[in-house]
Amino acid sequence: MKDSLIERYLYAVTKRLPAKIQNDVSNEIEALIDDMLSERCGDVTPNEKDIKIVLTELGSPRELAEKYDTSDKKCLIGAPYYITYKYVLKIVLICVGIGMIISSVISAFVDGFESFDSAGIMLQSVNFWINMITDMFITLSSGLIFGFAFVTLLFAFFYHKDIKIDSEKLDDLPSVPKNKISKADCIVGIAVSVAFAVVFLVAPQIFCVILHGEVFIPIFNVPQIQAQWYFIVIFALLGIVRETIKLIERQYSKRVMITTVVTDICSAVVAALWLFSDKIINMNLALEVTDIFDENFLIAIFSNFNYFFLFCILLALTIDVIETVVKTFKNNN
Amino acid sequence: MSVLSQLKEPMYGYSLVKKLQDSGIPIEANTLYPLMRRLESQGLLISEWDTGESKPRKYYRITENGIDVYEKIKKHWFDFSDSINNLLGG
C-alpha cells in the first residue's frame, strides 16, 4: 500500500513534466518523501496515515508539478499581447456577427424567391421565417467560433514566437495621429469582407438579371463559383487582415502602408486568377444578353462581366493603395 | 540568496530545508526543491546523485558563476538593508 500510494503520487506529479526530467524529479521527490517519513516515524515503519500526512504536507500533485514547470509562458496568450487580443477579438466578433446576419438574411430571401410563387406568400409563410432564423443561428454560431479561433490562434502564435506588435523603444513611439483611422471604417471593412465571402459562397445567384420582370438569370456560374471557394476565402481573409492591422494601429503608419500595399497586391492577384476565366459567367446569360438589353454598351458589359467585375476590383484596390500611401506620407511629414 | 549562501559544501535538499528552518527561515520542501532545480538550470548550482549511501540522494553545490552572483546580491542586500535601517532610524 505504501509503495502504491507513493508511486501514484509520483506518477501524478511527473506525468505533466517534460519527459527528460521526469525520472530525475521522480527520484528526487521519492528521496524527499523517504527523508520526511524517516523524520516523522524514526525506526518505526510508516503506516498509511503517516504517508498521507507527508504527501499532504508536500501539496497536491498538480501544485507541485506547477512549481517544477520552469517554462516562462504558462498561458495561451499573456501580457503584453492580451490587451490587444481582447480589443481585436471584440471588434472581429462584432464584424463577423454583422456580416453573418446580413448575409444570412440575403441568402434566406434569395432562396425564398426561388421556392415561393410571390414575395407576399413568402413573407406570410411561417416556414420561411423559421428557416431564416435557424439558418442565421447556425451561420452566426459557426462564424463566431471561426472568428474566435482565428484571432486566438493568431495572437497565441505572436505570444509564443515573441513577435513584437508594438516597439518598446522610446524613439519608436508612434506620433500622435493627424489622420486617425476611424474604427467604424475598419468595422465596416471587416463586415463587408465577411458578408462578401458568405454571400458568394452561399448565394452567388443573388447577382442576377431580371428578365421580363419575373425570370431571374444569375450572372455567375454558381457551381463554378462554389467549386472555387478558396479564391473567395483568401480574398476575404486578405481584407480582414488589412482592416485588422488598421484597427491595431489606428493611424496611417508605415506598417499600415506596407500591409495595405501587400494585401492589395495579393488581393489583385487572387481576383485576377479567379476572374480570368469565362467559365465563371453563366453561359445562359451570355446567350440571352442580346435579348435582355437594347444598348450595345450594356451588352458589352454583361457579355464580359468577369472582366468588368475584375476591373472594378482592381480600380478599388488601386484607389485604396494610392489613398493609403498619400495619407501615410502626409501623416509622417 | 539564502540557498546560495549554504551550498559552498554539497548538501541534499531536505538537509538544507532543515538548516534554513533552524536558522529562522521557514521554507517548505515543495518550494525549495523546484527552486534548486531552477538555480541549477541558470548555472548557479550543480547537482550530483550520491548512490554510495543506503539512500540515494541528490547533492547540490554552488558553481563559480553562482559564487559571483551570490557576492553581488549579498552586497546589494547589505546596502539595501543599511538604507532601510537608516530610513527607519535603526
Side-chain angles (χ1 to χ4, degrees):
Chain A
M1 190 66 198
K2 171 194 164 189
D3 284 342
S4 80
L5 183 57
I6 294 177
E7 276 172 12
R8 271 160 38 214
Y9 183 85
L10 292 174
Y11 174 71
V13 173
T14 54
K15 70 178 179 186
R16 296 187 191 93
L17 297 176
K20 62 179 180 182
I21 64 164
Q22 277 182 354
N23 268 342
D24 199 56
V25 170
S26 177
N27 292 336
E28 195 175 46
I29 300 173
E30 193 176 5
L32 169 65
I33 293 169
D34 217 25
D35 282 332
M36 290 169 82
L37 284 171
S38 298
E39 194 198 21
R40 181 176 176 79
C41 305
D43 293 334
V44 182
T45 310
N47 58 28
E48 195 188 331
K49 192 181 163 196
D50 296 317
I51 296 170
K52 281 188 175 167
I53 290 173
V54 164
L55 295 184
T56 309
E57 208 177 306
L58 271 180
S60 76
R62 190 183 51 76
E63 284 170 349
L64 191 54
E66 220 154 78
K67 288 182 179 174
Y68 270 103
D69 179 16
T70 53
S71 57
D72 54 344
K73 287 175 176 165
K74 294 186 183 178
C75 54
L76 186 63
I77 301 167
Y81 298 85
Y82 189 65
I83 192 165
T84 317
Y85 162 71
K86 273 200 305 184
Y87 173 71
V88 172
L89 182 65
K90 189 172 72 182
I91 288 168
V92 166
L93 290 184
I94 291 171
C95 299
V96 169
I98 295 170
M100 287 295 178
I101 289 170
I102 294 170
S103 54
S104 299
V105 171
I106 291 171
S107 63
F109 275 89
V110 169
D111 291 345
F113 278 124
E114 285 174 358
S115 321
F116 292 90
D117 293 336
S118 76
I121 295 174
M122 181 184 84
L123 293 174
Q124 283 168 13
S125 162
V126 177
N127 272 351
F128 167 74
W129 293 106
I130 290 175
N131 284 344
M132 187 171 88
I133 290 166
T134 315
D135 285 349
M136 190 187 289
F137 180 73
I138 293 168
T139 319
L140 192 60
S141 318
S142 52
L144 292 176
I145 291 169
F146 178 77
F148 177 79
F150 180 72
V151 176
T152 305
L153 287 176
L154 190 68
F155 274 86
F157 178 75
F158 287 166
Y159 175 62
H160 287 276
K161 295 286 170 193
D162 277 326
I163 296 171
K164 296 274 176 260
I165 52 175
D166 282 320
S167 174
E168 286 165 3
K169 290 181 189 164
L170 286 176
D171 289 341
D172 293 341
L173 283 173
S175 53
V176 180
K178 291 170 200 137
N179 291 318
K180 208 170 179 187
I181 298 175
S182 149
K183 200 192 277 187
D185 284 354
C186 303
I187 292 175
V188 170
I190 296 176
V192 166
S193 293
V194 174
F196 162 84
V198 179
V199 166
F200 261 93
L201 291 172
V202 177
Q205 64 270 36
I206 194 173
F207 301 100
C208 59
V209 174
I210 301 169
L211 188 62
H212 310 310
E214 47 189 49
V215 180
F216 298 91
I217 302 181
I219 293 175
F220 294 105
N221 179 354
V222 175
Q224 179 70 14
I225 290 261
Q226 285 171 340
Q228 294 184 324
W229 59 271
Y230 42 89
F231 281 126
I232 297 159
V233 171
I234 296 170
F235 192 79
L237 281 178
L238 286 166
I240 293 170
V241 168
R242 181 170 51 232
E243 297 303 322
T244 306
I245 298 292
K246 280 184 187 170
L247 260 180
I248 294 173
E249 296 275 309
R250 294 296 308 278
Q251 64 167 315
Y252 286 97
S253 63
K254 277 184 188 160
R255 194 180 347 202
V256 164
M257 185 178 79
I258 291 167
T259 323
T260 305
V261 171
V262 171
T263 50
D264 280 349
I265 290 171
C266 293
S267 301
V269 172
V270 171
L273 289 171
W274 183 42
L275 294 168
F276 248 117
S277 162
D278 290 335
K279 283 184 195 164
I280 210 153
I281 295 297
N282 181 9
M283 285 305 289
N284 293 337
L285 177 75
L287 293 172
E288 295 195 33
V289 78
T290 45
D291 295 338
I292 303 169
F293 301 109
D294 298 331
E295 289 183 42
N296 287 336
F297 173 66
L298 286 175
I299 292 172
I301 284 184
F302 282 96
S303 301
N304 302 291
F305 192 79
N306 51 331
Y307 297 112
F308 173 70
F309 191 41
L310 178 61
F311 171 76
C312 293
I313 290 176
L314 293 181
L315 185 67
L317 293 171
T318 311
I319 291 170
D320 188 43
V321 167
I322 294 170
E323 185 193 4
T324 308
V325 171
V326 169
K327 284 189 173 170
T328 305
F329 279 106
K330 257 190 189 173
N331 197 39
N332 289 304
N333 290 326
Chain B
M1 185 170 66
S2 309
V3 171
L4 293 178
S5 71
Q6 301 302 309
L7 290 177
K8 286 179 181 130
E9 296 299 322
M11 284 180 93
Y12 64 92
Y14 198 58
S15 65
L16 183 58
V17 171
K18 289 286 137 196
K19 193 167 184 188
L20 290 174
Q21 283 178 351
D22 291 345
S23 310
I25 299 174
I27 185 160
E28 299 290 336
N30 61 13
T31 302
L32 184 77
Y33 274 66
L35 170 68
M36 290 202 294
R37 186 171 279 275
R38 209 166 300 138
L39 293 174
E40 186 185 13
S41 70
Q42 290 167 356
L44 305 182
L45 296 182
I46 190 166
S47 71
E48 199 175 359
W49 278 96
D50 180 3
T51 50
E53 293 176 38
S54 57
K55 291 179 188 173
R57 283 191 175 115
K58 195 177 189 183
Y59 281 80
Y60 286 89
R61 99 185 132 71
I62 195 164
T63 61
E64 289 294 319
N65 187 22
I67 292 171
D68 287 347
V69 172
Y70 168 61
E71 292 300 333
K72 279 179 192 159
I73 53 177
K74 189 168 79 170
K75 183 180 179 310
H76 177 76
W77 170 262
F78 282 135
D79 292 347
F80 183 70
S81 54
D82 281 349
S83 306
I84 294 290
N85 287 339
N86 287 336
L87 196 67
L88 301 179

